[in-house]
């Protein structure tokens, strides 16, 4: 019963969303080139299913690769900032400044730096846009660790690394996964940004662009929906990881 | 008898924005092996600093701390600590929380032996059957019991406790005093207990050290003349009442008040 409800509720919500969308288009009598309706989409998927598969795969792997880099780099940066007040003071303004730059402006920079390396550029963008939340949350998690937690092991002569591995790291996992949920959608945006903006791109973003070039509006909307589905899949992959590694932090509803 | 803990003329101050703030100024405490030393004093008088000094987590500005004939300059494996906050690791079961110190102190000890040792202690404090539970599933008193088990699982020479029962309600606290008493009967350790509860100090302590207000020095030492197998009821006997009176007067003096006043 519980499980059925957990699955049925979101599906019903999505169906309701599609119905409202369809109704809006029908009632207003909007033509395709203003706003496609859900009923236009199956035809688009049927016609271009191969391109959708290829594009989805390209978008997905580059996003995951970028996110993987962001996790490694973000964790390292978070550790450095979490353990050292000096590094925290030094890095925060730089990080905040970097995060404030609209990442679209970096597309041409990357494109010039690594000419023709489309995959690399895309992964880089996914990485650059998504490491910030991870670094900040891990940094804060580590720097706010209560001293007693450290003292339990420190009083036994444990090394800093042991304290990190046994206490600080697991204790920071909930914050880390919270950040990862934000990062996963950001990485996705980064990948698509490059795919859409750069000429001769690949992935779903490029498919969107070609839909635009050919005035195939149902295709464009079909791509948007495919992107949304991919985003949801990635997000829930992170949720599944969180359940596995930080399930202890979940409070039972009382 | 040889003193296991020897604190001699310890002074310590913290750096603050408005200059150094002395917290300890002339602290002398001696605890013979196997004895239980309760330390009381007005709040903010540097009691917690004392625990960190004995544990070797910090060094005093002046004076010396000796443990078992060795001068304390850094943390050592023969110490166990318990705090007011039980600081159990939420991602571990109660059993694995208790085992934690063994992972540091005895890395080669087989898992089977570690589990056996932890189970033995959990049974002594009445937590049998809760081994597989998470800390969040336990009450405050039970968490503190588990925390005590963790503090002594590696058979430390010295158990240092910083107001471990301070956040518990009165009845739970008295339960834990008795648990502590029973643990001592079975596990040999020398204990330093920081507390602000005079009844607690009299029930558990062999000697009670009263610290003066900040900067703290040893103001008064009272030997508790009660048998080892004490009961809570003994706290209501005339002899205990006299001792509690003395301690109360000493605390008033430490607070800079007139002991004769109400």
């Amino acid at each position: 019963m519980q499980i059925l409800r957990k699955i049925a509720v979101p599906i019903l919500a999505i169906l309701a969303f599609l119905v409202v969308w369809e109704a809006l288009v029908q009632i207003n009598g909007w033509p395709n080139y203003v706003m496609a309706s859900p009923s236009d989409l199956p035809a688009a998927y049927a016609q271009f299913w191969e391109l959708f598969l290829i594009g989805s795969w390209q978008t997905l792997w580059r996003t995951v690769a970028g996110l993987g880099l962001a996790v490694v780099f973000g964790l390292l940066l978070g550790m450095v900032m979490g353990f050292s007040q000096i590094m925290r003071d030094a890095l925060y303004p730089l990080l905040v400044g970097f995060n404030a730059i609209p990442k679209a402006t970096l597309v041409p920079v990357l494109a010039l730096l690594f000419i023709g390396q489309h995959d690399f550029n895309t992964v880089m963008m996914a990485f650059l846009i998504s490491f910030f939340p991870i670094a900040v949350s891990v940094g804060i998690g580590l720097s706010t660790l209560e001293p007693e937690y450290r003292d339990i092991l420190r009083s036994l002569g444990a090394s800093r690394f042991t304290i990190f591995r046994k206490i600080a790291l697991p204790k920071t996992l909930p914050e880390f996964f919270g950040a990862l949920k934000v990062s996963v959608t950001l990485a996705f945006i980064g990948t698509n940004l490059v795919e859409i903006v750069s000429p001769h791109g690949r992935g779903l973003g490029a498919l969107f662009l070609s839909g635009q070039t050919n005035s195939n509006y149902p295709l464009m909307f079909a791509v948007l929906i495919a992107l949304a589905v991919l985003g949801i899949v990635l997000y829930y992959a992170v949720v599944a990881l969180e359940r596995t590694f930080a399930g202890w932090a979940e409070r039972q509803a009382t | 008898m040889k003193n296991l803990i020897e604190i001699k003329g310890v002074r310590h101050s913290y750096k603050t924005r408005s200059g150094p703030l002395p917290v300890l100024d002339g602290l002398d405490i001696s605890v013979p092996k196997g004895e239980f030393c309760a330390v009381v004093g007005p709040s903010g008088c540097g009691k917690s600093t004392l625990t960190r000094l004995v544990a070797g987590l910090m060094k005093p500005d002046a004076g010396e701390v000796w443990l078992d004939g060795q001068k304390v300059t850094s943390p050592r494996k023969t110490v166990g600590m318990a705090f007011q906050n039980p600081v159990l690791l939420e991602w571990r079961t109660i059993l694995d929380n208790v085992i934690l110190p063994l992972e540091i102190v005895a890395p080669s000890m087989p898992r089977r032996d570690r589990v056996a040792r932890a189970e033995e202690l959990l049974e002594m404090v009445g937590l049998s059957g809760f081994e597989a539970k998470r800390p969040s599933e336990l009450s405050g008193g039970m968490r503190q019991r588990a925390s005590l088990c963790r503090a002594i699982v590696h058979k430390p020479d010295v158990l240092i406790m910083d107001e471990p029962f301070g956040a518990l309600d009165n009845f739970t606290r008295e339960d834990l005093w008795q648990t502590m008493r029973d643990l001592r009967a079975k596990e040999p350790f020398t204990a330093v207990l920081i507390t602000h509860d005079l009844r607690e100090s009299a029930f558990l302590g062999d000697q009670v050290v009263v610290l003066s207000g900040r900067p703290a020095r040893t103001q008064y030492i009272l030997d508790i003349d009660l048998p080892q197998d004490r009961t809570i009821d003994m706290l209501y006997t005339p002899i205990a009442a006299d001792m509690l009176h003395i301690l109360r007067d000493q605390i008033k003096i430490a607070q800079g008040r007139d002991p004769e006043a109400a």
Side-chain angles (χ1 to χ4, degrees), chain A residues 145-159 162-163 165-172 174 245-246 248-251, chain B residues 52 55-58 75-81 83-92 100-105 134 136 150 154:
Chain A
L145 185 73
E146 294 94 326
E148 284 110 330
Y149 279 97
R150 213 164 296 160
D151 287 348
I152 305 168
L153 289 192
R154 217 156 74 80
S155 63
L156 296 170
S159 67
T162 308
I163 296 173
R165 188 166 54 88
K166 294 217 182 260
I167 294 192
L169 181 69
K171 196 159 170 54
T172 310
F245 292 107
W248 51 268
E250 223 170 278
R251 295 269 168 208
Chain B
R52 296 175 59 81
L57 292 170
M58 18 188 261
R76 52 190 58 220
K77 295 181 193 307
T78 55
V79 165
M81 289 189 96
F83 308 92
Q84 178 168 355
N85 176 354
V87 283
L88 297 173
L89 312 183
E90 287 293 333
W91 55 95
R92 287 178 173 234
L100 180 73
L102 293 176
E103 294 171 12
I104 312 294
V105 172
R134 306 262 171 193
S136 57
R150 181 183 57 194
H154 54 297

Side-chain angles (χ1 to χ4, degrees), chain B residues 167-182:
Chain B
L168 304 172
D169 68 83
N170 250 319
F171 301 120
T172 311
R173 196 181 301 169
E174 290 182 0
D175 274 353
L176 270 142
W177 294 351
Q178 296 172 58
T179 304
M180 194 75 228
R181 172 199 62 198
D182 298 343

